[in-house]
Amino acid sequence: MKPEKALIFEMSRPGRVAYSLPECDVTEIETSSAIPEAMLRRKPAELPEVCEVDVIRHYTELSRRNFGIDNGFYPLGSCTMKYNPKINEDVARFAGFAKIHPYQPEESIQGALELLYTLQNDLAALTGMEQVTLQPAAGAHGEWTGLMLIRAYHESRGETRTKVIVPDTSHGTNPASATVAGFETVTVPSDAEGMVDLEALRAAVGSDTAALMLTNPNTLGLFEKRIVEIAEIVHDAGGLLYYDGANSNAIMGIARPGDMGFDVVHLNLHKTMSTPHGGGGPGAGPVGVKRELVPFLPRPTVIRREDGRYGWDWDRPRSIGRVKAYSGNFGILVRAYAYIRTYGPEGLRRVSELAVLNANYMRSRLSPYFDVPYPGVCKHEFVLSGKRLKEHGVRTLDAAKRLLDFGYHPPTIYFPLNVEECLMIEPTETESKETLDAFIETMIRIVREAETDPQLVLNAPHTTAVKRLDEATAARKPVLNCSCGV
Ligand SMILES: *Cc1c(COP(=O)(O)O)cnc(C)c1O
């Protein structure tokens, strides 16, 4: 056993500092005159007073307790935790990208504007859309933006449509975004094959349908084969089709939402195109639309003027307005641009082919050990059911916790909601066969443990810094400051 390390607050000694700065040689502003009285701190903040190395050790220690894609395999379904080339991080930090300001004169940021313009066009080409806005900061934000565009479109035709249809496998953000955008959501069930139930869809669609939101492949990892028919049903009723493209790992360079009949698409650049995703960092959820919706796109858009120079276009009278400060999360857009340029069209297609191959390899090797609710070929992810483990008193959650002991991040569990004891696995294209095999062997081992020594699994994790957390209380009564009474 390592001796317990002192906590940073216990190490605090009055007057100790973690910085070395020269004497201040500018006149300090009298804080009381610069800051309103009500906002002034009454008593000094209780911060630990420690030296520089101890601060560094404290934060390094905390970072080691975290699990990231650079620590190990992270097969989180619906979330695409893949290796993102480190060189894209370097590119995003180039001074010409990182040190500019969006309010600089256009002439001085031509390179950045060209990047945005090219990225817009690349994403439009990849999704089969007419034009793309890069403003939205995340997938959910893209959904909301897309729904506001759909509302503006219907209103421009003098129609008030109040309902958004989602399948029961939809990501939770879909109904949430629809609600925030002022629509009522209607859920349609999936059929026995995990596809949208067409009869139920026909019954749900009507003159009040604003849109159907769909993910294809859906969150079961299955491709909606009857997508063209689905599009017809919705379009015939005057509704639009919204494509949740958060996870585009399966279709890049192979299939385009625009060709399937979708009118609006969002992508999660932070899942599919570089940028480590997770942990609440910045993201980007660009939205692409078909021609009829272009006038409503957020402004300003980036344009190429007749003289070949790039600029902001504010002159868009029918725009829904701005949805994000400046031009979106620019650093994330730079990473996505670098990702697309590095792979090129052929490379992106290869990414998708390998993502699908890896998922099918794992699915077929793991299938004998679990219940498989939807057998057959999957796309970039697949679902298993851990309900057989229940015979031994073990639940999917316990198996997921046991994976932590072997250095794996667990897959997504209990989603989609229509699969009992669901495990949703997405290996991604960036893992070697050896890694996939090692994970498969570990999953099989845990199934055997559940059968022979269930207590071992029930008490997991055994090796992590913290054991089982009370997640419900943490979510309902979050303690967001440290307990030192700051
Ligand atoms: C992640 C995800 C979203 C939401 O994206 P955020 O960037 O987290 O807001 C929406 N739909 C699907 C299918 C997703 O996997």
Side-chain angles (χ1 to χ4, degrees), residues 77-80 137-143 169-174 177 215 217-219 244-247 266-271 277 281 283-285 381 415 424 426:
S78 192
C79 286
T80 313
H141 193 194
E143 291 169 26
T169 52
S170 77
H171 193 267
T173 50
N174 293 182
S177 303
T215 304
N218 65 20
T219 57
D244 177 344
N247 316 108
H266 90 262
L267 298 172
N268 275 25
L269 300 186
H270 49 293
K271 285 178 184 169
H277 141 251
E381 62 192 1
F415 176 78
M424 184 194 205
E426 181 181 356

Side-chain angles (χ1 to χ4, degrees), residues 27-35:
T27 323
E28 286 183 61
I29 309 172
E30 194 50 55
T31 35
S32 52
S33 66
I35 299 172

Side-chain angles (χ1 to χ4, degrees), residues 120 123-125 127-134 136 142 145-146 149-150 241-243 257-258 262-267 285-291 293-294 297-298:
Q120 273 175 196
L123 297 178
T127 52
M129 292 288 140
E130 179 74 19
Q131 201 175 321
V132 166
T133 171
L134 300 172
T145 303
L149 295 170
I150 288 172
L241 260 84
Y242 183 96
Y243 185 87
F262 286 92
D263 305 287
V264 184
V265 174
H266 90 262
L267 298 172
V287 172
V289 294
K290 287 269 176 73
R291 188 182 297 274
L293 289 113
V294 169
L297 282 175

Side-chain angles (χ1 to χ4, degrees), residues 350-371:
R350 188 91 184 120
V351 164
S352 288
E353 287 168 354
L354 290 176
V356 172
L357 179 65
N358 283 0
N360 278 289
Y361 176 69
M362 285 184 87
R363 182 188 56 76
S364 93
R365 282 207 58 196
L366 283 172
S367 289
Y369 303 92
F370 291 86
D371 281 284

